[in-house]
Amino acid sequence: MSATAISSVTGRRVWNSRARPTVEVEVALAGGARGRAIAPAGASRGSGEAVDLRDGGEAFGGYGVERAVTAANGEIAAALEGLDARDQEGADRRLVALDGTADKSRLGGNATVAASMAVAHAAAAAQGLPLWRHLADDAEPVMPLPEIQIFGGGAHAARRVDVQDFMVIAVGASEYAEALDWTAEVYRAARAIMTERGLLAGTADEGGHWPAFDGNEQALETLVEAIERAGLEPGGQVGISLDVAASEFGADGRYRLARDGRTLDTDGMCDLLGGWIERFPIVSVEDPLAEDDFDGLAAFTRAFGARVQVMGDDALVSDAARVRQAAEAGACNAVLLKPNQAGTLTECRAALEAARAAGYGAVVSARSGETEDVTVVHLALGWGVEQLKVGSIAHGERTAKWNEGLRIAEALPSGGRLPPRAAFPWGTRCG
Ligand code: 2PG
Ligand code: MG
């Protein structure tokens, strides 16, 4: 048996940042190397995502994962043992075939993604390499540009505002560490402003401030103010990025903005967001329209795609076929990549390749339910993806990832240098 042959696969139940159970898988190789990974979990999920296997019933609100852990220890272990861990595609093919469903619902996407990522970690460990290096081809990667949440809303803050993520992107930073420094100052300034005005209602699921705003525009105004109070230039140095997560409040071409007290059709949503793009230094908009509104996404992209990044999350669910479909329709110009939406690393990577073939941008993303697992940081580096989204710059499950980036940057020939600004044409419009 070669040193990189998988000798055992162990599943166990661990906890995530929402106090819910999740699946960890540990893979051991014949030569003694080990790798482990933990499945994240989304709250605002696209209907086309791989499905987590949950136990249902009373305990933990039905979020138990005993069945998924059993699958990892039983069927998944039997299917992977003996395989060479360096053959990621082979391992993932087995997981897909073993599950046999289109949405991983038999074994659970939580079990398959943890197993898939653990195989990659074990292969890297066997070669004495950090995961990003094991995944990278010969190209020397540069650090990804961080996209960081300041206010949480939508499904992550009991719908206190309709828009789910109010984020910033430090488009003017030249170093990864500098982008984090600037964002931390914006986060602190936002907190101070909200405290002064009695608008701070706690912390949302991803570590951003839980706002008591009257509406979405107050969030945008406060964010611009926070950037200014931090001594930074809105647009030129720090741009605004929104995850509208419109599938959460819209379907069949109707969008109910509870906070703003109105219902809009697709054109109305495009006009509303277009107005915000005019008035505020917005550089990126994710899921501006619902996952069932491909025509709307295409119309929005035609209208604003030259000025802002139009990111598909719920509509594209890290799925290569959907990315190709979107490209044909002219919907979106970038894809969000979440490994657990696909269920295996190989399938998620295929979505990235489809995005590249279509000339789309890409962002590797964590989920709102997270753990100390830092795999996504390594994926961004290893796959050469130039942006990373992991929530806010607070809470250990978020800082674990930003901090892993700081460590990786020390090892890169390019240090912490970010991609040139020209790599983000949408990031230059306000500067
Ligand atoms: C998203 C993510 C992260 P969730 O919608 O992009 O913000 O949220 O993991 O709940 O889908
Ligand atoms: Mg999203």
Side-chain angles (χ1 to χ4, degrees):
M1 219 188 210
S2 96
T4 48
I6 295 173
S7 56
S8 73
V9 175
T10 309
R12 65 175 67 91
R13 192 189 73 180
V14 296
W15 295 95
N16 77 12
S17 55
R18 277 197 273 256
R20 288 178 185 162
T22 187
V23 181
E24 175 170 271
V25 171
E26 185 154 355
V27 167
L29 307 187
R34 306 176 83 81
R36 59 167 201 253
I38 308 177
S44 66
R45 302 165 58 85
S47 60
E49 292 191 22
V51 172
D52 286 345
L53 188 58
R54 301 282 181 184
D55 299 336
E58 289 292 303
F60 314 125
Y63 285 96
V65 292
E66 286 313 322
R67 291 193 297 153
V69 167
T70 301
N73 281 317
E75 287 189 66
I76 290 178
L80 295 184
E81 280 164 15
L83 265 190
D84 192 314
R86 291 170 304 177
D87 181 10
Q88 185 73 44
E89 287 182 24
D92 289 342
R93 250 196 320 275
R94 282 210 183 171
L95 289 170
V96 170
L98 181 67
D99 174 75
T101 67
D103 59 3
K104 310 284 189 301
S105 53
R106 198 179 74 76
L107 297 171
N110 42 358
T112 62
V113 80
S116 176
M117 297 194 302
V119 167
H121 279 284
Q127 298 164 86
L129 295 173
L131 178 58
W132 67 265
R133 172 57 76 199
H134 164 61
L135 295 171
D137 49 26
D138 293 337
E140 277 300 338
V142 294
M143 291 305 295
L145 181 62
E147 182 183 17
I148 304 185
Q149 189 194 66
I150 305 297
F151 311 132
H156 301 164
R159 302 183 199 286
R160 194 58 188 72
V161 280
D162 303 299
V163 172
Q164 177 182 286
D165 297 322
F166 292 87
M167 297 170 285
V168 294
I169 303 183
V171 287
S174 50
E175 298 275 328
Y176 175 81
E178 184 177 42
L180 297 184
D181 291 357
W182 289 3
T183 305
E185 295 291 13
V186 174
Y187 183 87
R188 210 160 58 83
R191 186 180 190 87
I193 293 169
M194 294 164 83
T195 305
E196 283 161 23
R197 298 179 194 162
L199 295 171
L200 187 63
T203 309
D205 279 11
E206 299 194 339
H209 304 308
W210 182 310
F213 293 140
D214 291 337
N216 299 296
E217 296 195 10
Q218 191 183 11
L220 288 163
E221 284 156 9
T222 309
L223 194 43
V224 171
E225 216 182 320
I227 296 168
E228 283 166 347
R229 192 183 284 200
L232 295 158
E233 188 201 340
Q237 288 178 299
V238 177
I240 293 177
S241 170
L242 301 178
D243 182 359
V244 180
S247 304
E248 289 291 309
F249 57 84
D252 303 323
R254 307 290 295 166
Y255 296 88
R256 163 117 192 84
L257 289 152
R259 220 52 228 173
D260 294 354
R262 48 188 170 152
T263 300
L264 300 174
D265 61 10
T266 299
D267 288 346
M269 272 300 282
C270 287
D271 289 347
L272 177 76
L273 296 171
W276 292 352
I277 290 168
E278 283 300 328
R279 286 173 48 210
F280 300 102
I282 293 171
V283 293
S284 180
V285 183
E286 180 178 330
D287 287 349
L289 296 152
E291 61 177 20
D292 66 356
D293 198 351
F294 250 60
D295 289 346
L297 284 167
F300 183 85
T301 307
R302 272 195 306 278
F304 305 109
R307 302 173 59 174
V308 299
Q309 176 170 251
V310 183
M311 181 98 64
D313 174 14
D314 292 346
L316 305 184
V317 291
S318 308
D319 179 75
R322 282 179 189 243
V323 172
R324 284 191 284 271
Q325 205 188 332
E328 264 169 42
C332 308
N333 59 28
V335 62
L336 201 69
L337 298 169
K338 295 166 163 171
N340 78 326
Q341 284 184 327
T344 63
L345 286 185
T346 302
E347 289 164 282
C348 190
R349 172 105 198 218
L352 169 62
E353 298 309 336
R356 285 190 168 136
Y360 277 32
V363 179
V364 172
S365 174
R367 300 307 303 252
S368 52
E370 270 293 337
T371 66
E372 66 275 22
D373 186 285
V374 295
T375 307
V376 282
V377 185
H378 290 264
L379 295 181
L381 266 292
W383 290 351
V385 175
E386 293 177 326
Q387 295 174 75
L388 179 65
K389 171 186 177 188
V390 308
S392 197
I393 187 159
H395 287 192
E397 78 279 4
R398 313 288 153 190
T399 54
K401 295 165 182 61
W402 300 128
N403 293 345
E404 182 75 351
L406 289 168
R407 290 179 207 108
I408 294 172
E410 287 178 13
L412 296 180
S414 57
R417 188 158 47 78
L418 291 168
R421 202 162 171 163
F424 311 111
W426 40 265
T428 54
R429 77 168 189 93
C430 318

